[in-house]
Amino acid sequence: MNPIDRRKFLMQVAAGASALTLARFVGAEEAKPDLDPNDAYAMAMGFVTDTANADAEKFPKHSADQSCANCQLFQGPDGAEKGPCSFFGGRQVPATGWCRNFKPKNAA
Ligand code: SF4
């Protein structure tokens, strides 16, 4: 390989590595932190990490079969222990959780 070919080759390798690094950076989605049940907004929404602990007096429409796992806004895969909630900006909520914004998955 003559010096010019080698320089061209090295520049192409460097450009390729930069492109890969950029693609990895752009494609990376860091998981958001868990939603803190003591967060003021979470509390205002009645968020609990276990649907069994929802306040029945404040939320009379709550039922035990409602949980984050079967809410439209839960973005975790089926069977996941926790996943992002789009209502809370992608913060992680447990599949067993609940809040007053619960929307059943099969509702229109
Ligand atoms: S909006 Fe749905 S997924 Fe999010 S915390 Fe409330 S019940 Fe859970």
Side-chain angles (χ1 to χ4, degrees):
M1 199 179 284
N2 71 41
I4 293 176
D5 287 344
R6 185 166 45 208
R7 185 178 309 142
K8 196 173 176 183
F9 172 77
L10 290 173
M11 287 176 70
Q12 287 174 341
V13 167
S18 296
L20 280 173
T21 301
L22 182 62
R24 196 177 313 147
F25 178 74
V26 169
E29 285 187 37
E30 285 188 30
K32 297 265 172 88
D34 290 358
L35 177 62
D36 181 352
N38 296 315
D39 171 275
Y41 188 54
M43 288 177 71
M45 295 305 293
F47 174 73
V48 286
T49 56
D50 184 341
T51 189
N53 296 330
D55 188 328
E57 279 188 30
K58 276 190 191 170
F59 310 109
K61 291 182 180 173
H62 168 265
S63 64
D65 62 330
Q66 298 175 352
S67 68
C68 294
N70 55 33
C71 175
Q72 289 177 16
L73 302 167
F74 184 75
Q75 299 174 316
D78 287 345
E81 287 184 18
K82 66 180 181 178
C85 168
S86 59
F87 181 71
F88 285 109
R91 280 187 276 175
Q92 302 281 318
V93 295
T96 56
W98 181 86
C99 84
R100 67 187 302 172
N101 197 48
F102 172 81
K103 303 268 186 284
K105 271 187 178 170
N106 52 5

